[in-house]
Amino acid sequence: MSELTTDSRIAAATAASVTGPVTLMNRFVVPASRDQEFEAMWTRTSEYFVARPGFVSLRLHRAVSADATHRWVNVANWACQADYRAAHATEEFRRLVGQPGWQEFPSFPTLFEVVTSVG
């Protein structure tokens, strides 16, 4: 497996500036035998984000199928893209996701904006 960088843990910048709320959906590759280690690391790291300006909410989902490629998905809501970017631009963020254990859990972060909402 190639080495993961802290920059690969951040959703790619968008061409257009989104000024409203954004949602991060981050998929993780986690072997079923490593669920406890992943969840413990995710919990420690999430404490950092919860305290950042512009943070709205956070949920961690686990696939009900043990053979899913991306068995864990993190869904985080932010007040705006600028707040999301600021939280990911600190040395503390780089220290947290640069810990050796994170190398074992590749992730695929993407930012989304709401286009349609029902209910």
Side-chain angles (χ1 to χ4, degrees), residues 32-101:
S33 64
R34 301 298 312 279
D35 281 351
Q36 282 187 311
E37 293 88 348
F38 169 78
E39 192 171 6
M41 287 191 73
W42 181 89
T43 299
R44 285 190 302 274
T45 303
S46 69
E47 292 169 357
Y48 163 78
F49 290 111
V50 169
R52 302 300 302 174
F55 170 83
V56 176
S57 65
L58 180 62
R59 287 187 172 189
L60 181 62
H61 304 260
R62 183 178 55 211
V64 295
S65 172
D67 63 349
T69 302
H70 300 106
R71 297 183 51 253
W72 293 84
V73 177
N74 172 63
V75 179
N77 295 293
W78 291 87
C80 64
Q81 184 173 196
D83 290 336
Y84 168 84
R85 299 266 173 235
H88 289 76
T90 68
E91 286 304 315
E92 186 175 357
F93 166 77
R94 292 187 177 289
R95 182 188 61 75
L96 284 168
V97 300
Q99 294 175 19

Side-chain angles (χ1 to χ4, degrees), residues 4-13 23-28 70 72-74 84-85 88 93 105-112:
L4 300 170
T5 66
T6 54
D7 289 337
S8 70
R9 299 288 184 174
I10 304 169
T23 299
L24 169 72
M25 294 185 191
N26 196 358
R27 301 170 293 134
F28 293 89
H70 300 106
W72 293 84
V73 177
N74 172 63
Y84 168 84
R85 299 266 173 235
H88 289 76
F93 166 77
F105 307 119
S107 65
F108 302 88
T110 305
L111 273 185
F112 294 86

